Amino acid sequence: MGAVAPLVLKFEAFPERNLTVILFKDVTNAGEIHAKLLDRSLEPELALINPSKVQSVFALHLAAHKSIAAHEREALATHTLHSEVVFNLSGLKHITEGLKRFGMAEDASEVLVCRFDATDEDIAATRALVKGIEVDIEAALEGLRDQDAIKKNYKTGDLECQAGVGTIEDAVLARIATAPMR
């Protein structure tokens, strides 16, 4: 079976930038990847996200857009553009907590891998790095989503998620969009 085509997100406000996203399931070397991430030896530099905490591709796109905007202003809250995506996706004020909750765990069996402005070599290196099965993001993300954890992490209220008022998606996007920018 051939590799699934990665999802490439484009940014209207930043036409020269893009984000390549690949979802892996049944990952067997998460501990090794996590160790490289922590000691900053991960090549290429990547955003490694727990897909169960991602409400939608649009939420990821919004977090990535905020990250690029911060990078352009030289105002990243984290050390790298890629860690900024994970932090912005969390909608939290505390960087460490955001990275811990939304980043890939060392025992993860699924990981959403993101790379800004990825070259063919970056994609090949990512596929060689992650020992798992590449799956279609659009088809698999909903099945991996942990709606209870998302509600808890974003502190969505019952009223704002009622029919006729709003949805969990609306609440998540509002939290990401309104989280303080530095």
Side-chain angles (χ1 to χ4, degrees):
M1 181 173 146
V4 175
L7 176 65
V8 179
L9 303 176
K10 299 194 180 295
F11 304 92
E12 188 174 325
F14 306 100
E16 71 286 355
R17 306 301 305 260
N18 64 68
L19 182 71
T20 300
V21 186
I22 304 172
L23 177 60
F24 291 93
K25 288 178 72 174
D26 301 325
V27 175
T28 59
N29 65 332
E32 171 190 326
I33 296 167
H34 194 263
K36 287 181 179 185
L37 177 67
L38 293 180
D39 71 17
R40 297 188 184 169
S41 65
L42 189 64
E43 287 294 326
E45 183 183 308
L46 302 166
L48 302 170
I49 300 169
N50 176 349
S52 72
K53 305 285 179 74
V54 179
Q55 175 63 28
S56 65
V57 170
F58 187 62
L60 176 63
H61 201 170
L62 177 60
H65 185 275
K66 268 185 86 167
S67 301
I68 294 171
H71 186 260
E72 293 292 317
R73 290 189 330 275
E74 297 180 6
L76 292 177
T78 65
H79 291 290
T80 71
L81 179 59
H82 290 89
S83 60
E84 194 81 4
V85 174
V86 181
F87 173 60
N88 282 331
L89 188 62
S90 77
L92 297 171
K93 289 187 261 183
H94 305 287
I95 297 168
T96 304
E97 190 63 27
L99 296 176
K100 197 184 306 180
R101 283 190 200 180
F102 284 77
M104 180 189 84
E106 60 186 303
D107 62 347
S109 59
E110 294 92 20
V111 63
L112 192 60
V113 180
C114 305
R115 169 81 179 154
F116 280 102
D117 309 318
T119 63
D120 290 341
E121 292 78 22
D122 292 334
I123 294 169
T126 300
R127 287 177 168 147
L129 173 71
V130 181
K131 306 294 184 240
I133 300 167
E134 197 173 329
V135 295
D136 181 78
I137 295 164
E138 301 286 349
L141 191 59
E142 186 174 345
L144 296 174
R145 185 182 312 133
D146 182 343
Q147 208 66 71
D148 291 334
I150 289 170
K151 286 180 180 179
K152 181 180 176 185
N153 283 317
Y154 290 104
K155 298 180 176 142
T156 61
D158 290 336
L159 178 61
E160 71 181 321
C161 298
Q162 285 180 356
V165 178
T167 63
I168 294 171
E169 174 88 357
D170 296 336
V172 168
L173 295 174
R175 302 298 192 284
I176 293 171
T178 59
M181 291 187 70
R182 286 146 179 67

